Amino acid sequence: QVQLVESGGGLVQAGGSLRLSCAASGSLFSIDDMGWYHQAPGKQRELVATMPTGGVTIYADSVKGRFTISRDNAKNTVYLQMNSLNADDTGLYYCYAQVVPYRRARYFEVWGQGTLVTVSS
């Protein structure tokens, strides 16, 4: 069983920065894609950034130039550096991963529990 544990959320003033972390634990062979989604209050969950192994990193237009996603594959961890935060960035941030349980297996998706980011103006 694989779990994702997020950390790094909190309260920050507009213009400030936060760094989110998400670590996968449990039995797995590899991770294909890891990324972050954002769910603002009263809205649907939306993609923030994704970083597939050996693929192209994708960012939502709203965070380009402000957020940076990175991975430490040795630690099965993904990070999200968030700069120049504004009130629209408030909400829950969910980590996800496409986990390959064993060699040549098809991946399955795992989600974190969410970490809350609140940006005060």
Side-chain angles (χ1 to χ4, degrees), residues 85-99:
L85 286 160
N86 58 60
D88 291 338
D89 298 319
T90 293
L92 283 165
Y93 284 77
Y94 294 92
C95 169
Y96 85 97
Q98 293 177 341
V99 175

Side-chain angles (χ1 to χ4, degrees), residues 4-13 16-23 36 67 77-83 85 89-95 112-119:
L4 300 181
V5 179
E6 299 141 334
S7 60
L11 175 64
V12 64
Q13 287 188 335
S17 299
L18 283 175
R19 188 187 191 216
L20 306 183
S21 299
C22 171
W36 294 90
F67 291 9
T77 299
V78 63
Y79 305 95
L80 186 68
Q81 177 66 44
M82 306 187 294
N83 299 328
L85 286 160
D89 298 319
T90 293
L92 283 165
Y93 284 77
Y94 294 92
C95 169
Q113 78 286 357
T115 185
L116 181 62
V117 171
T118 303
V119 183

Side-chain angles (χ1 to χ4, degrees), residues 26-110:
S27 178
L28 61 90
F29 175 73
S30 65
I31 298 176
D32 281 355
D33 191 12
M34 292 188 87
W36 294 90
Y37 277 71
H38 170 230
Q39 187 166 19
K43 295 187 177 181
Q44 291 187 331
R45 196 176 300 187
E46 296 181 339
L47 176 70
V48 175
T50 179
M51 191 171 194
T53 301
V56 177
T57 299
I58 296 174
Y59 292 95
D61 288 342
S62 60
V63 306
K64 285 180 180 177
R66 299 189 300 124
F67 291 9
T68 303
I69 187 172
S70 60
R71 286 175 62 172
D72 184 337
N73 293 326
K75 296 181 179 179
N76 291 325
T77 299
V78 63
Y79 305 95
L80 186 68
Q81 177 66 44
M82 306 187 294
N83 299 328
S84 302
L85 286 160
N86 58 60
D88 291 338
D89 298 319
T90 293
L92 283 165
Y93 284 77
Y94 294 92
C95 169
Y96 85 97
Q98 293 177 341
V99 175
V100 179
Y102 51 88
R103 186 185 292 273
R104 298 178 184 171
R106 179 177 173 80
Y107 71 79
F108 61 93
E109 286 194 347
V110 181

